């Protein structure tokens, strides 16, 4: 990391393991901060996979695959009773 970049401005992938604790301490874990992070993540996903000039099935299929995995995890206790 360059010395001019402050730790709160760095992305998680750019944080070294020794800096992880201080990076997490600088995050905003209030409901507004969490909502803002979810909104930024959704906007990043939407602009990368959905709002493109020549779109494909990549973005929609990832959402569908995530929904399938999540619904399986939620219903696993009911499914495992019948084995």
């Amino acid at each position: 990391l360059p010395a001019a970049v402050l730790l709160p401005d760095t992305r998680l992938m750019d944080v070294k393991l020794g800096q992880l604790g201080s990076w997490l301490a600088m995050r905003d874990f209030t409901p507004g901060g969490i909502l803002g992070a979810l909104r930024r993540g959704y906007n990043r996903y939407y602009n990368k996979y959905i709002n493109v000039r020549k779109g494909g099935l990549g973005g929609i299929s990832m959402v569908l695959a995530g929904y399938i995995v999540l619904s399986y995890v939620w219903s696993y206790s009911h499914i495992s009773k019948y084995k």
Side-chain angles (χ1 to χ4, degrees):
L1 290 173
V5 177
L6 298 175
L7 194 58
D9 296 333
T10 57
R11 296 175 44 197
L12 178 60
M13 295 300 292
D14 297 332
V15 174
K16 293 186 174 35
L17 192 56
Q19 300 171 334
L20 187 61
S22 60
W23 184 84
L24 282 173
M26 293 183 195
R27 298 292 101 193
D28 184 14
F29 288 109
T30 62
I34 293 172
L35 184 64
L38 290 174
R39 187 177 296 132
R40 285 189 306 274
Y42 171 77
N43 286 336
R44 186 177 300 134
Y45 172 81
Y46 182 80
N47 288 326
K48 186 172 183 179
Y49 293 108
I50 306 297
N51 191 20
V52 292
R53 190 173 291 180
K54 289 181 79 173
L57 293 176
I60 303 296
S61 62
M62 283 195 304
V63 171
L64 183 62
Y67 172 74
I68 290 170
V69 168
L70 195 60
S71 65
Y72 178 76
V73 168
W74 281 338
S75 62
Y76 181 76
S77 62
H78 299 294
I79 293 172
S80 64
K81 290 180 184 177
Y82 298 110
K83 286 187 176 183

